[in-house]
Amino acid sequence: MTATAWRADPYTEALRTGRGPLFLRRRDGWLLPLEVERWCERPDSADLTVLRRCQGSVLDIGCGPGRLVVALLARGRRALGIDVSPEAVARTLRAGGTALLRSVFEPVPDEGGWGTALLIDGNIGIGGDPAALLRRAAEVTAPGAVLIAETSAEDEDADERVEVSVVNGSGERGAPFPWARLGARALCGHAAGAGWTPARRWTAAGRSFVELRGPSQRRGA
């Protein structure tokens, strides 16, 4: 259902044109603006703080139009974006990035070998189950890897699971799907159960980020 929702026309059209407005809409009418224009531009000052903290090869989970993947490749890093939106993957490829049409819950190349995993632009919400997503991120990354997640800048204790739809400024709506919204403190609370240790938290340009570190050895090793 999630993959189908992100392939719906409002999201696809926004990525194709590089313009919003676009929102995640909760059933009660609450709207979360999606920053399509920023996603389709070059990395901003907040993104650069993320890029500087990447180590080794980088898997960008939910890469969108690929600005981070392209920037990482330009810096000489091996990087791959995965996304369930065909338009996101196509736009990444057109920009000179590398990307696959793939959910993180499906097999990915170099499974268990990535040095860094990224969950930026709210992608900690993928699947509506942060604990499951963090466990999966631990599976696809190497021992001692880095995970960098962008969290809610408004509420560090936010920890909600909701059903949302992608909707544009004209009210056109995609299929509903599960999503989660997490603040920094809540994310750190979920991290331990998946084997991640909080390493640092920071804000930049009004955005909030958390860096997690994976264990030096896999469980059971």
Side-chain angles (χ1 to χ4, degrees), residues 114-197:
W114 295 95
T116 302
L118 299 180
L119 288 166
I120 307 303
D121 301 327
N123 284 330
I124 188 63
I126 288 173
D129 186 343
L133 182 57
L134 289 168
R135 289 194 298 269
R136 179 60 181 145
E139 292 173 353
V140 302
T141 51
V146 169
L147 188 154
I148 303 175
E150 184 170 352
T151 58
S152 170
E154 294 78 25
D155 181 1
E156 68 176 15
D157 292 312
D159 190 356
E160 64 175 348
R161 289 137 192 80
V162 293
E163 185 176 86
V164 296
S165 300
V166 178
V167 60
N168 64 18
S170 301
E172 296 173 309
R173 186 182 307 182
F177 59 95
W179 196 251
R181 190 172 70 94
L182 249 64
R185 187 176 300 168
L187 172 61
C188 292
H190 285 287
W196 296 99
T197 301

Side-chain angles (χ1 to χ4, degrees), residues 28-44:
D28 62 4
W30 174 88
L31 295 173
L32 175 68
L34 300 177
E35 299 181 77
V36 178
E37 289 87 351
R38 178 174 62 76
W39 299 348
C40 293
E41 294 174 354
R42 293 183 178 181
D44 64 12

Side-chain angles (χ1 to χ4, degrees), residues 60-157:
D60 187 358
I61 300 168
C63 66
R67 71 187 189 283
L68 299 182
V69 172
V70 172
L72 286 161
L73 291 171
R75 289 172 173 233
R77 288 205 180 274
R78 178 176 173 238
L80 174 69
I82 57 173
D83 205 291
V84 297
S85 162
E87 182 60 29
V89 171
R91 186 154 183 153
T92 300
L93 296 175
R94 289 196 300 269
T98 53
L100 292 175
L101 185 64
R102 192 77 48 93
S103 164
V104 68
F105 295 104
E106 298 171 337
V108 300
D110 196 18
E111 185 103 8
W114 295 95
T116 302
L118 299 180
L119 288 166
I120 307 303
D121 301 327
N123 284 330
I124 188 63
I126 288 173
D129 186 343
L133 182 57
L134 289 168
R135 289 194 298 269
R136 179 60 181 145
E139 292 173 353
V140 302
T141 51
V146 169
L147 188 154
I148 303 175
E150 184 170 352
T151 58
S152 170
E154 294 78 25
D155 181 1
E156 68 176 15
D157 292 312

